[in-house]
Amino acid sequence: MDSASIGTSGGLRSRLLAALSYLGILCFVPLLFSRDDEFVQFHARQGLVLWMWGVLAIFALSLPGIGRWFFSFSSMVIMLLSAIGLISVLLEKAWRLPFIYGLAARL
């Protein structure tokens, strides 16, 4: 996990909105309501990629055989990366999550 240097106001509001980014569909709240805070947007984009991966995993359940395996694997990885993202927010860091940041940077 690489750390980026991102400016933030450092307030409780910024940390709360950034933390919402890693709680499933709530990633849309910081995307819509905090467009001017670079720290919040960084975490919101990563949270959005994690949420999209989760939706894809749910749709994969309809695939016979591999669907349940993909869903189980994805759920564990998403929970782990979300926990890492929340820790990053609590420490006021901008850790680049492996594989997720590459996709999030393109959004």
Side-chain angles (χ1 to χ4, degrees):
M1 287 170 289
D2 193 17
S3 182
S5 175
I6 295 178
T8 181
S9 61
L12 180 63
R13 181 180 185 272
S14 291
R15 286 193 310 214
L16 180 63
L17 285 172
L20 286 176
S21 301
Y22 296 104
L23 300 178
I25 198 163
L26 293 177
C27 68
F28 287 105
V29 173
L31 280 172
L32 297 174
F33 293 115
S34 188
R35 293 185 178 266
D36 57 335
D37 193 342
E38 194 177 345
F39 178 75
V40 174
Q41 287 297 307
F42 174 85
H43 289 289
R45 284 190 208 106
Q46 289 193 145
L48 179 63
V49 171
L50 288 172
W51 177 76
M52 289 188 304
W53 184 7
V55 170
L56 179 66
I58 290 171
F59 283 121
L61 278 172
S62 63
L63 297 173
I66 195 168
R68 291 175 69 184
W69 177 84
F70 180 75
F71 176 78
S72 298
F73 173 76
S74 294
S75 297
M76 287 188 302
V77 172
I78 290 168
M79 284 194 303
L80 176 68
L81 291 175
S82 294
I84 292 170
L86 285 170
I87 292 168
S88 162
V89 169
L90 291 174
L91 297 175
E92 294 185 12
K93 303 287 184 186
W95 291 340
R96 296 176 180 166
L97 298 175
F99 306 110
I100 302 300
Y101 175 74
L103 295 171
R106 295 180 187 169
L107 294 178

